[in-house]
Amino acid sequence: MKVLVTRRLPETVMGRLEKANEITELRVNPHDRTLTRDELEEGTAWCDILLSQLVDPVDAALMDCNSELKLIANYAVGYNNIDVPAATERGIPVTNTPGVLDDSTADLTWVLLMAVARRIVEADRYMRGGEYEGWAPTLLMGTDVHHKTLGIVGLGRIGFALAQRARGFDMRILYSDLELKPYAEEVGAEYVDMYTLLRQSDFVSLHPFYDKKSHHLIDTRELREMKRSAFLINVSRGPVVNEKALVKALKAGEIAGAALDVYEREPAMEPELAKMDNVVIVPHIASASLETRTAMGNIAVDNVLARCRGDALTTCLNPEAVG
Ligand code: DGY
């Protein structure tokens, strides 16, 4: 089978692909950038298996470049870049990489939460800028995290892993979700509706599945429901938050700050965010540890090789598509 890898993956993962007998030809994006639409279409028309990234829009038109496409293996747990129903209609299985990035993503969420609360990025800039003239009682005072209320919007695997971390900080934990999660009891998380969560939380962390229903889940009205002293953290998908509304809320002091890993129109972001000291911004790196990105790659490769051999796929999103 001919396999297209739309962006180079960690070395051991590439090694597996390069050595696999099941793969007759391997084409890897030679550039240090995302493929253009034309390149993606040309590559899709060429390959049997597409190993895609979350930034590749795998829509019906792309699938129609190749009526023989055998698999779309997405290198991400999120798959909002893929039109899965269109793939199912065309008999193309789609796989993702669940389960292996929950802890790394929760770790990074925690880093962002702590960083924005305790003004770590500002403090680092301050030191590097040579501004430190000695200890002072009110220098760079932040906000405590321990014993505060954490609101988790979406208590899936990542939200749960975040709650586990919050317990070590003696936090009260609230969550909202489409349904009650029985495992919430294990971490002492209390189910409330989203508006109660927004009103009561000191930190609101977003972990919903992104689809049409969660588009702009956090907008002007929701930001106004939050405490003026509260912080918003988003590591899910950018469009869960109306970014322009967030900028307005921050400027108006309606919330105390924000920490973001994802943006509404990545790689762009609202430029004002970069000018605000109470905002911590990182470039979609929640799962970016060598171990986790390798584990994600291994799942994608397992699926690629299974498809080559005609074996069952380990993480198929649309099993009904497999003929
Ligand atoms: C995902 O997998 O969906 C993350 O956004 C990147 O790891």
Side-chain angles (χ1 to χ4, degrees):
M1 292 248 197
K2 294 192 280 187
V3 177
L4 172 69
V5 179
T6 66
R7 194 78 187 257
R8 217 175 158 77
L9 302 173
E11 280 319 304
T12 53
V13 179
M14 291 312 301
R16 281 188 71 200
L17 287 167
E18 279 151 14
K19 284 193 210 109
N21 293 327
E22 294 89 340
I23 299 175
T24 49
E25 281 180 74
L26 179 67
R27 199 195 271 188
V28 183
N29 173 0
H31 311 290
D32 191 15
R33 60 161 172 77
T34 303
L35 291 179
T36 63
R37 179 70 188 191
D38 283 352
E39 290 166 343
L40 189 58
E41 286 186 1
E42 192 275 320
T44 303
W46 168 84
C47 69
D48 298 305
I49 293 180
L50 177 65
L51 202 164
S52 57
Q53 314 300 308
L54 61 89
V55 286
D56 299 322
V58 186
D59 49 30
L62 187 78
M63 295 172 205
D64 287 340
C65 295
N66 183 348
S67 59
E68 299 296 314
L69 199 59
K70 303 278 187 302
L71 173 67
I72 299 162
N74 208 39
Y75 180 68
V77 67
Y79 49 88
N80 55 296
N81 60 310
I82 300 179
D83 186 340
V84 179
T88 308
E89 261 172 44
R90 287 160 181 75
I92 310 169
V94 179
T95 60
N96 67 339
T97 65
V100 291
L101 47 78
D102 308 334
D103 282 317
S104 301
T105 303
D107 285 350
L108 196 277
T109 311
W110 198 254
V111 167
L112 289 178
L113 187 152
M114 292 293 293
V116 74
R118 297 301 303 270
R119 304 175 62 182
I120 297 302
V121 178
E122 258 184 279
D124 180 87
R125 269 200 299 266
Y126 182 84
M127 286 301 288
R128 288 168 200 266
E131 289 176 68
Y132 185 43
E133 286 174 358
W135 190 90
T138 57
L139 178 63
L140 286 162
M141 285 193 300
T143 304
D144 275 335
V145 171
H146 61 84
H147 297 97
K148 294 285 179 70
T149 299
L150 170 65
I152 301 176
V153 178
L155 197 76
R157 287 185 302 260
I158 296 169
F160 181 80
L162 181 68
Q164 287 178 315
R165 283 146 183 78
R167 271 164 75 88
F169 283 70
D170 295 316
M171 295 180 91
R172 174 180 178 224
I173 305 169
L174 304 177
Y175 79 99
S176 63
D177 209 316
L178 300 175
E179 59 195 18
L180 279 166
K181 302 288 182 184
Y183 50 78
E185 275 180 33
E186 283 174 48
V187 283
E190 187 189 324
Y191 182 79
V192 289
D193 66 83
M194 190 179 80
Y195 288 92
T196 303
L197 180 149
L198 293 172
R199 282 192 287 271
Q200 295 192 8
S201 299
D202 300 299
F203 299 91
V204 173
S205 192
L206 304 175
H207 305 274
F209 177 77
Y210 177 63
D211 59 12
K212 278 190 199 131
K213 279 185 252 140
S214 57
H215 184 81
H216 286 187
L217 185 67
I218 302 298
D219 210 327
T220 307
R221 172 179 169 211
E222 288 69 31
L223 290 160
R224 287 209 177 120
E225 293 289 338
M226 288 175 63
K227 295 184 191 179
R228 291 180 88 82
S229 56
F231 297 86
L232 182 74
I233 296 108
N234 188 13
V235 300
S236 59
R237 284 292 182 262
V240 168
V241 177
N242 179 340
E243 210 167 282
K244 283 191 191 305
L246 174 62
V247 168
K248 274 196 195 148
L250 286 162
K251 277 186 162 169
E254 284 168 4
I255 63 171
L260 308 170
D261 181 45
V262 289
Y263 305 88
E264 197 171 346
R265 281 168 282 272
E266 282 179 38
M269 67 165 176
E270 287 297 316
E272 277 123 313
L273 290 171
K275 297 182 195 146
M276 298 181 190
D277 277 337
N278 55 344
V279 174
V280 174
I281 42 177
V282 296
H284 205 148
I285 54 166
S287 65
S289 68
L290 176 61
E291 298 90 333
T292 295
R293 288 284 166 89
T294 301
M296 289 164 63
N298 281 331
I299 294 183
V301 175
D302 289 345
N303 282 312
V304 167
L305 300 185
R307 190 64 173 147
C308 291
R309 293 192 291 261
D311 292 347
L313 299 166
T314 48
T315 58
C316 190
L317 294 163
N318 55 347
E320 63 277 26
V322 188

PDB file of all heavy atoms in Angstrom, residues 54 74-81 96-98 101 105 158 235-237 261-262 266 284-288 292-293 296, ligand 1:
ATOM      1  N   LEU A  54      -4.141  17.179  12.409  1.00  0.00           N
ATOM      2  CA  LEU A  54      -5.381  17.881  12.747  1.00  0.00           C
ATOM      3  C   LEU A  54      -5.566  19.181  11.972  1.00  0.00           C
ATOM      4  O   LEU A  54      -6.654  19.748  11.948  1.00  0.00           O
ATOM      5  CB  LEU A  54      -5.472  18.114  14.263  1.00  0.00           C
ATOM      6  CG  LEU A  54      -4.404  18.960  14.952  1.00  0.00           C
ATOM      7  CD1 LEU A  54      -4.770  20.423  14.952  1.00  0.00           C
ATOM      8  CD2 LEU A  54      -4.215  18.488  16.367  1.00  0.00           C
ATOM      9  N   ASN A  74      -5.861   9.682  11.426  1.00  0.00           N
ATOM     10  CA  ASN A  74      -5.589  11.053  11.899  1.00  0.00           C
ATOM     11  C   ASN A  74      -4.646  11.015  13.088  1.00  0.00           C
ATOM     12  O   ASN A  74      -4.858  10.251  14.043  1.00  0.00           O
ATOM     13  CB  ASN A  74      -6.906  11.721  12.305  1.00  0.00           C
ATOM     14  CG  ASN A  74      -6.872  13.226  12.155  1.00  0.00           C
ATOM     15  OD1 ASN A  74      -6.306  13.747  11.196  1.00  0.00           O
ATOM     16  ND2 ASN A  74      -7.483  13.932  13.081  1.00  0.00           N
ATOM     17  N   TYR A  75      -3.620  11.846  13.028  1.00  0.00           N
ATOM     18  CA  TYR A  75      -2.621  11.902  14.106  1.00  0.00           C
ATOM     19  C   TYR A  75      -3.104  12.920  15.148  1.00  0.00           C
ATOM     20  O   TYR A  75      -2.566  14.011  15.292  1.00  0.00           O
ATOM     21  CB  TYR A  75      -1.266  12.303  13.508  1.00  0.00           C
ATOM     22  CG  TYR A  75      -0.134  12.407  14.491  1.00  0.00           C
ATOM     23  CD1 TYR A  75       0.385  11.287  15.132  1.00  0.00           C
ATOM     24  CD2 TYR A  75       0.460  13.644  14.760  1.00  0.00           C
ATOM     25  CE1 TYR A  75       1.431  11.397  16.022  1.00  0.00           C
ATOM     26  CE2 TYR A  75       1.520  13.760  15.644  1.00  0.00           C
ATOM     27  CZ  TYR A  75       2.001  12.630  16.282  1.00  0.00           C
ATOM     28  OH  TYR A  75       3.044  12.736  17.159  1.00  0.00           O
ATOM     29  N   ALA A  76      -4.154  12.561  15.857  1.00  0.00           N
ATOM     30  CA  ALA A  76      -4.757  13.423  16.897  1.00  0.00           C
ATOM     31  C   ALA A  76      -5.928  12.656  17.484  1.00  0.00           C
ATOM     32  O   ALA A  76      -6.484  11.772  16.818  1.00  0.00           O
ATOM     33  CB  ALA A  76      -5.273  14.728  16.297  1.00  0.00           C
ATOM     34  N   VAL A  77      -6.279  13.020  18.702  1.00  0.00           N
ATOM     35  CA  VAL A  77      -7.510  12.440  19.244  1.00  0.00           C
ATOM     36  C   VAL A  77      -8.715  13.181  18.672  1.00  0.00           C
ATOM     37  O   VAL A  77      -9.727  12.580  18.343  1.00  0.00           O
ATOM     38  CB  VAL A  77      -7.500  12.418  20.794  1.00  0.00           C
ATOM     39  CG1 VAL A  77      -7.534  13.808  21.390  1.00  0.00           C
ATOM     40  CG2 VAL A  77      -8.669  11.609  21.318  1.00  0.00           C
ATOM     41  N   GLY A  78      -8.577  14.509  18.512  1.00  0.00           N
ATOM     42  CA  GLY A  78      -9.656  15.307  17.923  1.00  0.00           C
ATOM     43  C   GLY A  78      -9.724  15.017  16.432  1.00  0.00           C
ATOM     44  O   GLY A  78      -8.699  14.798  15.795  1.00  0.00           O
ATOM     45  N   TYR A  79     -10.946  15.036  15.886  1.00  0.00           N
ATOM     46  CA  TYR A  79     -11.068  14.727  14.456  1.00  0.00           C
ATOM     47  C   TYR A  79     -12.065  15.666  13.779  1.00  0.00           C
ATOM     48  O   TYR A  79     -12.701  15.309  12.792  1.00  0.00           O
ATOM     49  CB  TYR A  79     -11.441  13.253  14.250  1.00  0.00           C
ATOM     50  CG  TYR A  79     -12.611  12.776  15.083  1.00  0.00           C
ATOM     51  CD1 TYR A  79     -13.907  12.902  14.613  1.00  0.00           C
ATOM     52  CD2 TYR A  79     -12.398  12.222  16.342  1.00  0.00           C
ATOM     53  CE1 TYR A  79     -14.976  12.477  15.384  1.00  0.00           C
ATOM     54  CE2 TYR A  79     -13.466  11.802  17.121  1.00  0.00           C
ATOM     55  CZ  TYR A  79     -14.747  11.927  16.634  1.00  0.00           C
ATOM     56  OH  TYR A  79     -15.808  11.513  17.400  1.00  0.00           O
ATOM     57  N   ASN A  80     -12.148  16.888  14.336  1.00  0.00           N
ATOM     58  CA  ASN A  80     -13.050  17.868  13.739  1.00  0.00           C
ATOM     59  C   ASN A  80     -12.556  18.346  12.367  1.00  0.00           C
ATOM     60  O   ASN A  80     -13.277  19.006  11.649  1.00  0.00           O
ATOM     61  CB  ASN A  80     -13.245  19.057  14.679  1.00  0.00           C
ATOM     62  CG  ASN A  80     -11.932  19.688  15.084  1.00  0.00           C
ATOM     63  OD1 ASN A  80     -11.109  19.043  15.744  1.00  0.00           O
ATOM     64  ND2 ASN A  80     -11.706  20.912  14.674  1.00  0.00           N
ATOM     65  N   ASN A  81     -11.319  17.988  12.017  1.00  0.00           N
ATOM     66  CA  ASN A  81     -10.798  18.321  10.680  1.00  0.00           C
ATOM     67  C   ASN A  81     -11.292  17.336   9.623  1.00  0.00           C
ATOM     68  O   ASN A  81     -11.033  17.529   8.435  1.00  0.00           O
ATOM     69  CB  ASN A  81      -9.262  18.317  10.694  1.00  0.00           C
ATOM     70  CG  ASN A  81      -8.674  16.966  11.096  1.00  0.00           C
ATOM     71  OD1 ASN A  81      -9.075  16.393  12.107  1.00  0.00           O
ATOM     72  ND2 ASN A  81      -7.753  16.451  10.311  1.00  0.00           N
ATOM     73  N   ASN A  96      -8.370   7.654  14.977  1.00  0.00           N
ATOM     74  CA  ASN A  96      -7.742   8.754  15.721  1.00  0.00           C
ATOM     75  C   ASN A  96      -6.806   8.150  16.771  1.00  0.00           C
ATOM     76  O   ASN A  96      -6.512   6.949  16.703  1.00  0.00           O
ATOM     77  CB  ASN A  96      -8.808   9.673  16.324  1.00  0.00           C
ATOM     78  CG  ASN A  96      -9.632   8.997  17.403  1.00  0.00           C
ATOM     79  OD1 ASN A  96      -9.713   7.776  17.464  1.00  0.00           O
ATOM     80  ND2 ASN A  96     -10.257   9.785  18.243  1.00  0.00           N
ATOM     81  N   THR A  97      -6.341   8.957  17.715  1.00  0.00           N
ATOM     82  CA  THR A  97      -5.321   8.463  18.668  1.00  0.00           C
ATOM     83  C   THR A  97      -5.754   8.685  20.127  1.00  0.00           C
ATOM     84  O   THR A  97      -5.077   9.404  20.876  1.00  0.00           O
ATOM     85  CB  THR A  97      -3.968   9.172  18.436  1.00  0.00           C
ATOM     86  OG1 THR A  97      -4.133  10.570  18.737  1.00  0.00           O
ATOM     87  CG2 THR A  97      -3.474   9.028  17.018  1.00  0.00           C
ATOM     88  N   PRO A  98      -6.867   8.100  20.532  1.00  0.00           N
ATOM     89  CA  PRO A  98      -7.351   8.370  21.898  1.00  0.00           C
ATOM     90  C   PRO A  98      -6.538   7.669  22.990  1.00  0.00           C
ATOM     91  O   PRO A  98      -5.825   6.702  22.718  1.00  0.00           O
ATOM     92  CB  PRO A  98      -8.770   7.793  21.859  1.00  0.00           C
ATOM     93  CG  PRO A  98      -8.694   6.695  20.858  1.00  0.00           C
ATOM     94  CD  PRO A  98      -7.693   7.127  19.820  1.00  0.00           C
ATOM     95  N   LEU A 101      -2.966  10.601  25.291  1.00  0.00           N
ATOM     96  CA  LEU A 101      -2.533  11.985  25.523  1.00  0.00           C
ATOM     97  C   LEU A 101      -3.272  12.672  26.662  1.00  0.00           C
ATOM     98  O   LEU A 101      -3.070  13.859  26.917  1.00  0.00           O
ATOM     99  CB  LEU A 101      -2.640  12.808  24.232  1.00  0.00           C
ATOM    100  CG  LEU A 101      -3.933  12.705  23.418  1.00  0.00           C
ATOM    101  CD1 LEU A 101      -5.021  13.505  24.026  1.00  0.00           C
ATOM    102  CD2 LEU A 101      -3.663  13.130  21.996  1.00  0.00           C
ATOM    103  N   THR A 105      -1.978  16.187  28.310  1.00  0.00           N
ATOM    104  CA  THR A 105      -2.844  17.343  28.076  1.00  0.00           C
ATOM    105  C   THR A 105      -3.306  17.937  29.411  1.00  0.00           C
ATOM    106  O   THR A 105      -3.339  19.158  29.577  1.00  0.00           O
ATOM    107  CB  THR A 105      -4.047  16.923  27.189  1.00  0.00           C
ATOM    108  OG1 THR A 105      -3.514  16.378  25.984  1.00  0.00           O
ATOM    109  CG2 THR A 105      -4.944  18.096  26.859  1.00  0.00           C
ATOM    110  N   ILE A 158      -9.722  13.711  29.580  1.00  0.00           N
ATOM    111  CA  ILE A 158      -8.773  14.788  29.922  1.00  0.00           C
ATOM    112  C   ILE A 158      -9.298  15.598  31.113  1.00  0.00           C
ATOM    113  O   ILE A 158      -8.548  15.915  32.047  1.00  0.00           O
ATOM    114  CB  ILE A 158      -8.504  15.681  28.694  1.00  0.00           C
ATOM    115  CG1 ILE A 158      -7.806  14.842  27.599  1.00  0.00           C
ATOM    116  CG2 ILE A 158      -7.650  16.898  29.070  1.00  0.00           C
ATOM    117  CD1 ILE A 158      -7.706  15.509  26.243  1.00  0.00           C
ATOM    118  N   VAL A 235      -7.787  24.315  26.358  1.00  0.00           N
ATOM    119  CA  VAL A 235      -6.861  23.420  25.644  1.00  0.00           C
ATOM    120  C   VAL A 235      -7.655  22.497  24.707  1.00  0.00           C
ATOM    121  O   VAL A 235      -7.112  21.509  24.237  1.00  0.00           O
ATOM    122  CB  VAL A 235      -6.019  22.546  26.607  1.00  0.00           C
ATOM    123  CG1 VAL A 235      -5.172  23.360  27.531  1.00  0.00           C
ATOM    124  CG2 VAL A 235      -6.905  21.592  27.385  1.00  0.00           C
ATOM    125  N   SER A 236      -8.932  22.821  24.478  1.00  0.00           N
ATOM    126  CA  SER A 236      -9.754  21.899  23.669  1.00  0.00           C
ATOM    127  C   SER A 236      -9.614  22.242  22.186  1.00  0.00           C
ATOM    128  O   SER A 236      -8.672  21.761  21.525  1.00  0.00           O
ATOM    129  CB  SER A 236     -11.209  21.931  24.138  1.00  0.00           C
ATOM    130  OG  SER A 236     -11.758  23.236  24.036  1.00  0.00           O
ATOM    131  N   ARG A 237     -10.492  23.065  21.674  1.00  0.00           N
ATOM    132  CA  ARG A 237     -10.379  23.578  20.312  1.00  0.00           C
ATOM    133  C   ARG A 237     -10.705  25.061  20.368  1.00  0.00           C
ATOM    134  O   ARG A 237     -11.621  25.479  21.107  1.00  0.00           O
ATOM    135  CB  ARG A 237     -11.341  22.865  19.360  1.00  0.00           C
ATOM    136  CG  ARG A 237     -10.912  21.448  18.953  1.00  0.00           C
ATOM    137  CD  ARG A 237      -9.654  21.446  18.075  1.00  0.00           C
ATOM    138  NE  ARG A 237      -9.267  20.135  17.636  1.00  0.00           N
ATOM    139  CZ  ARG A 237      -8.334  19.370  18.208  1.00  0.00           C
ATOM    140  NH1 ARG A 237      -7.714  19.800  19.294  1.00  0.00           N
ATOM    141  NH2 ARG A 237      -8.017  18.195  17.699  1.00  0.00           N
ATOM    142  N   ASP A 261      -4.202  27.393  24.780  1.00  0.00           N
ATOM    143  CA  ASP A 261      -3.339  26.536  23.966  1.00  0.00           C
ATOM    144  C   ASP A 261      -3.863  26.494  22.532  1.00  0.00           C
ATOM    145  O   ASP A 261      -3.149  26.087  21.622  1.00  0.00           O
ATOM    146  CB  ASP A 261      -3.348  25.119  24.566  1.00  0.00           C
ATOM    147  CG  ASP A 261      -2.463  24.133  23.822  1.00  0.00           C
ATOM    148  OD1 ASP A 261      -1.318  24.506  23.487  1.00  0.00           O
ATOM    149  OD2 ASP A 261      -2.896  23.001  23.569  1.00  0.00           O
ATOM    150  N   VAL A 262      -5.118  26.890  22.353  1.00  0.00           N
ATOM    151  CA  VAL A 262      -5.777  26.764  21.047  1.00  0.00           C
ATOM    152  C   VAL A 262      -6.490  28.074  20.704  1.00  0.00           C
ATOM    153  O   VAL A 262      -6.861  28.836  21.598  1.00  0.00           O
ATOM    154  CB  VAL A 262      -6.787  25.588  21.073  1.00  0.00           C
ATOM    155  CG1 VAL A 262      -6.083  24.244  21.123  1.00  0.00           C
ATOM    156  CG2 VAL A 262      -7.747  25.719  22.254  1.00  0.00           C
ATOM    157  N   GLU A 266      -6.516  29.200  14.075  1.00  0.00           N
ATOM    158  CA  GLU A 266      -5.085  28.834  14.103  1.00  0.00           C
ATOM    159  C   GLU A 266      -4.502  28.771  12.707  1.00  0.00           C
ATOM    160  O   GLU A 266      -5.192  28.280  11.811  1.00  0.00           O
ATOM    161  CB  GLU A 266      -4.914  27.469  14.784  1.00  0.00           C
ATOM    162  CG  GLU A 266      -4.994  27.574  16.268  1.00  0.00           C
ATOM    163  CD  GLU A 266      -4.859  26.226  16.974  1.00  0.00           C
ATOM    164  OE1 GLU A 266      -4.058  25.399  16.524  1.00  0.00           O
ATOM    165  OE2 GLU A 266      -5.559  26.034  17.963  1.00  0.00           O
ATOM    166  N   HIS A 284      -0.651  25.421  20.797  1.00  0.00           N
ATOM    167  CA  HIS A 284      -1.284  24.090  20.647  1.00  0.00           C
ATOM    168  C   HIS A 284      -0.279  22.963  20.942  1.00  0.00           C
ATOM    169  O   HIS A 284      -0.017  22.110  20.085  1.00  0.00           O
ATOM    170  CB  HIS A 284      -1.863  23.938  19.226  1.00  0.00           C
ATOM    171  CG  HIS A 284      -2.998  22.946  19.165  1.00  0.00           C
ATOM    172  ND1 HIS A 284      -4.054  23.058  18.291  1.00  0.00           N
ATOM    173  CD2 HIS A 284      -3.230  21.809  19.872  1.00  0.00           C
ATOM    174  CE1 HIS A 284      -4.886  22.031  18.450  1.00  0.00           C
ATOM    175  NE2 HIS A 284      -4.406  21.265  19.404  1.00  0.00           N
ATOM    176  N   ILE A 285       0.239  22.981  22.159  1.00  0.00           N
ATOM    177  CA  ILE A 285       1.284  22.013  22.522  1.00  0.00           C
ATOM    178  C   ILE A 285       0.852  21.095  23.664  1.00  0.00           C
ATOM    179  O   ILE A 285       1.690  20.464  24.315  1.00  0.00           O
ATOM    180  CB  ILE A 285       2.603  22.725  22.928  1.00  0.00           C
ATOM    181  CG1 ILE A 285       2.356  23.755  24.033  1.00  0.00           C
ATOM    182  CG2 ILE A 285       3.275  23.356  21.720  1.00  0.00           C
ATOM    183  CD1 ILE A 285       3.630  24.245  24.720  1.00  0.00           C
ATOM    184  N   ALA A 286      -0.442  21.013  23.924  1.00  0.00           N
ATOM    185  CA  ALA A 286      -0.868  20.259  25.107  1.00  0.00           C
ATOM    186  C   ALA A 286      -0.360  18.822  25.109  1.00  0.00           C
ATOM    187  O   ALA A 286      -0.020  18.277  26.149  1.00  0.00           O
ATOM    188  CB  ALA A 286      -2.382  20.297  25.250  1.00  0.00           C
ATOM    189  N   SER A 287      -0.298  18.186  23.959  1.00  0.00           N
ATOM    190  CA  SER A 287       0.172  16.788  23.922  1.00  0.00           C
ATOM    191  C   SER A 287       1.644  16.686  23.509  1.00  0.00           C
ATOM    192  O   SER A 287       2.142  15.588  23.264  1.00  0.00           O
ATOM    193  CB  SER A 287      -0.686  15.976  22.951  1.00  0.00           C
ATOM    194  OG  SER A 287      -0.508  16.449  21.631  1.00  0.00           O
ATOM    195  N   ALA A 288       2.319  17.831  23.442  1.00  0.00           N
ATOM    196  CA  ALA A 288       3.656  17.849  22.825  1.00  0.00           C
ATOM    197  C   ALA A 288       4.782  17.451  23.787  1.00  0.00           C
ATOM    198  O   ALA A 288       5.658  18.251  24.112  1.00  0.00           O
ATOM    199  CB  ALA A 288       3.943  19.215  22.215  1.00  0.00           C
ATOM    200  N   THR A 292       4.465  11.269  24.478  1.00  0.00           N
ATOM    201  CA  THR A 292       3.061  11.263  24.048  1.00  0.00           C
ATOM    202  C   THR A 292       2.927  11.360  22.533  1.00  0.00           C
ATOM    203  O   THR A 292       2.141  10.643  21.919  1.00  0.00           O
ATOM    204  CB  THR A 292       2.298  12.392  24.765  1.00  0.00           C
ATOM    205  OG1 THR A 292       2.303  12.066  26.155  1.00  0.00           O
ATOM    206  CG2 THR A 292       0.870  12.518  24.296  1.00  0.00           C
ATOM    207  N   ARG A 293       3.719  12.252  21.920  1.00  0.00           N
ATOM    208  CA  ARG A 293       3.615  12.366  20.459  1.00  0.00           C
ATOM    209  C   ARG A 293       4.074  11.061  19.794  1.00  0.00           C
ATOM    210  O   ARG A 293       3.607  10.705  18.714  1.00  0.00           O
ATOM    211  CB  ARG A 293       4.423  13.562  19.966  1.00  0.00           C
ATOM    212  CG  ARG A 293       3.768  14.902  20.316  1.00  0.00           C
ATOM    213  CD  ARG A 293       2.574  15.211  19.409  1.00  0.00           C
ATOM    214  NE  ARG A 293       1.739  16.288  19.918  1.00  0.00           N
ATOM    215  CZ  ARG A 293       1.915  17.578  19.648  1.00  0.00           C
ATOM    216  NH1 ARG A 293       2.914  17.968  18.873  1.00  0.00           N
ATOM    217  NH2 ARG A 293       1.089  18.476  20.136  1.00  0.00           N
ATOM    218  N   MET A 296       1.136   8.622  20.218  1.00  0.00           N
ATOM    219  CA  MET A 296       0.086   8.949  19.239  1.00  0.00           C
ATOM    220  C   MET A 296       0.465   8.408  17.860  1.00  0.00           C
ATOM    221  O   MET A 296      -0.348   7.829  17.145  1.00  0.00           O
ATOM    222  CB  MET A 296      -0.096  10.478  19.154  1.00  0.00           C
ATOM    223  CG  MET A 296      -0.739  11.092  20.370  1.00  0.00           C
ATOM    224  SD  MET A 296      -0.513  12.901  20.429  1.00  0.00           S
ATOM    225  CE  MET A 296      -1.393  13.420  18.956  1.00  0.00           C
TER     226      MET A 296
HETATM  227  C1  DGY B   1      -5.459  16.319  19.591  1.00  0.00           C
HETATM  228  O1  DGY B   1      -4.889  15.220  19.541  1.00  0.00           O
HETATM  229  O2  DGY B   1      -6.613  16.462  19.222  1.00  0.00           O
HETATM  230  C2  DGY B   1      -4.707  17.472  20.169  1.00  0.00           C
HETATM  231  O3  DGY B   1      -5.318  18.685  19.899  1.00  0.00           O
HETATM  232  C3  DGY B   1      -3.280  17.497  19.698  1.00  0.00           C
HETATM  233  O4  DGY B   1      -2.655  16.448  20.290  1.00  0.00           O
END
